[in-house]
Every structure is written in C-alpha cells, then in structure tokens.
Amino acid sequence: MLVILCCLTALVGCANYDYPSKVNIGDAFPSASGQSLEGESVNIPDDFKGEPTLLLLGYKQDSQFDIDRWLIGLDMTNTQVAAYEIPSIQGMFPRMFSTVINNGMRKGIPKDLWKGVVTVYEDGDKLQRFTGNQNPNNARVILLDPQGRIVYFYDAGFAVSALNALKSKLER
C-alpha cells in the first residue's frame, strides 16, 4: 500500500511544469527512447522510419480517454496507419517505479496490443517540452512521415474534424 501511495504521489507531483507547444509542421520529431509493454527498446522516431506513423502521446492517466477515442475513430473509419500509444512520464520518481507503472498498464491492456504501447520515462520531460503539456488530459496526436518529420499535429482533444484532417494527410 505504501508503494502505491508513493507512486500516486510521484505521478501527481510530476506535472508541475507548464510547457506551451513548440511543434511546427515539417519539424523532425525529437529523438526519444522508451520501452514497449512487451519489453522491447524503442527509439522514436528512428524505429518508425520508412512508413507513416501515428503517435498518440499522453501525459496523464486521464489522457487515455482521449487516446481511446482516437483509436476508436481510426478503427471505425478504417484508417490504415501504424499507430502507437506513447505514455510520456516525466520525473525521477516515476522512473524509479517504472516496473510497477508498466505492470499496471499491462493489466488493463490486452497482450496483443502491448507492442503498440511504448512508455517513455527518461525522455518524458523532453517530449512534454516539445509538444506542450498544457491541457494535459488531451492526447498529442502526431503523424510522422516516413522520414520522421511531423506532417500533422493536434492537441485539442478528439474531434471528428481533426480525424478527417488527419485522414486527408494520409491520403496524399
């Protein structure tokens, strides 16, 4: 129980910094490393180069609701794109409890989807500084081109118009 309380305190206390977005279309996505729930190391964006890739970044547990709406929208519209959930958690304490946090996520996510969830701890602050963490419950939706450059960015929560704009970028 004490470990859970410490984890919750650390997670709540990690969102103390308020960063505006610095994303510009055409920018290269910053290099970050993480680990999939399968336990594989992943280097973003290098491991995704060669095909368009959709990143759904979340900074708080509550952003999962927004990410789920995006994933449902993609599925319902039969949008074909490699999509990855990227929980990005800043701070020393979450890194210390990363095994506990990852195991908690594994309990709520079907095993066949673990490859598509890449948790970023060490570079979590870097990603938050780049994409902004204002309105932290909103996912950061980023479409990368095959070279790892940003061709679409949205951070205002799920909207059908935003999904349609994303789809139009994929159809080009």
Side-chain angles (χ1 to χ4, degrees):
M1 184 66 175
L2 181 60
V3 171
I4 292 171
L5 181 59
C6 288
C7 287
L8 291 174
T9 301
L11 287 173
V12 170
C14 290
N16 293 333
Y17 303 104
D18 190 32
Y19 304 128
S21 172
K22 296 179 182 174
V23 174
N24 292 303
I25 301 302
D27 284 350
F29 191 81
S31 178
S33 60
Q35 187 176 58
S36 75
L37 291 183
E38 286 185 330
E40 299 294 321
S41 293
V42 178
N43 295 307
I44 307 166
D46 292 340
D47 289 348
F48 303 139
K49 288 187 177 175
E51 65 178 337
T53 304
L54 185 65
L55 306 178
L56 301 166
L57 281 78
Y59 300 135
K60 293 179 67 177
Q61 185 176 356
D62 289 343
S63 61
Q64 186 64 50
F65 178 73
D66 198 30
I67 290 170
D68 288 344
R69 291 188 299 168
W70 276 95
L71 291 172
I72 290 167
L74 292 167
D75 185 57
M76 298 282 297
T77 58
N78 199 30
T79 303
Q80 301 298 309
V81 64
Y84 293 85
E85 293 182 53
I86 313 290
S88 300
I89 306 168
Q90 66 178 3
M92 178 67 77
F93 289 113
R95 275 189 267 169
M96 290 174 21
F97 295 102
S98 62
T99 301
V100 173
I101 295 168
N102 287 347
N103 285 338
M105 284 190 282
R106 285 183 187 102
K107 288 180 182 176
I109 298 172
K111 190 171 186 171
D112 60 328
L113 300 178
W114 288 2
K115 181 180 182 181
V117 179
V118 179
T119 307
V120 174
Y121 289 101
E122 189 170 332
D123 294 325
D125 186 63
K126 179 198 294 188
L127 295 183
Q128 290 189 33
R129 284 178 187 269
F130 181 71
T131 65
N133 63 3
Q134 296 171 333
N135 299 315
N137 291 341
N138 295 350
R140 276 41 183 182
V141 180
I142 300 171
L143 179 63
L144 302 178
D145 70 10
Q147 292 75 42
R149 297 211 168 277
I150 298 167
V151 295
Y152 180 81
F153 175 76
Y154 190 77
D155 66 352
F158 177 79
V160 172
S161 60
L163 176 61
N164 289 334
L166 170 67
K167 287 181 58 155
S168 73
K169 293 290 183 185
L170 286 165
E171 293 169 357
R172 291 184 183 167

